[in-house]
Amino acid sequence: MKEFLIEVTTNIPDGTEAAEVDRRRAAEAARAVELIASGHLVRIWRPVGETRSIALWRANDEAELRDRILSTLPLWSWMTSVVTPLESHPSDPGKPDTTV
């Protein structure tokens, strides 16, 4: 699978009822657990003092990532995102050693 770095900011629309926000956040947490189990959501961070998140995702391609993974997030319609496709760097310390 290919890897993608995704920066997301969630903007709750003005006038949204608190119960709807709570419902979507709970559904988002449950969906994240499923995406972790399926290997799509690899890591997620929140920068200190910020409301955005940065996550490492895996998918076969960007179309699958957008159409069949991210679009299933209950908060997705409230999110703005930047998707960056990644490739391994030659000096990546996590890259398997192929010289042996």
Side-chain angles (χ1 to χ4, degrees), residues 75-90:
L75 293 172
W76 189 245
S77 64
W78 294 351
M79 294 177 171
T80 56
S81 65
V82 176
V83 176
T84 304
L86 301 173
E87 62 183 20
S88 183
H89 187 280

Side-chain angles (χ1 to χ4, degrees), residues 4-5 9 15 29-30 33 39 48 59 61 68 70-71 78 92 95 100:
F4 301 86
L5 184 70
T9 302
V33 169
V48 175
D61 55 39
R68 290 187 275 178
L70 298 176
S71 67
W78 294 351
D92 180 359
K95 185 177 175 182
V100 218

Side-chain angles (χ1 to χ4, degrees), residues 18-40:
E20 175 65 7
V21 174
D22 292 344
R23 183 192 69 75
R24 284 196 189 207
R25 283 187 173 149
E28 185 86 6
R31 183 65 180 132
V33 169
E34 295 170 351
L35 292 168
I36 291 165
S38 66
H40 293 294

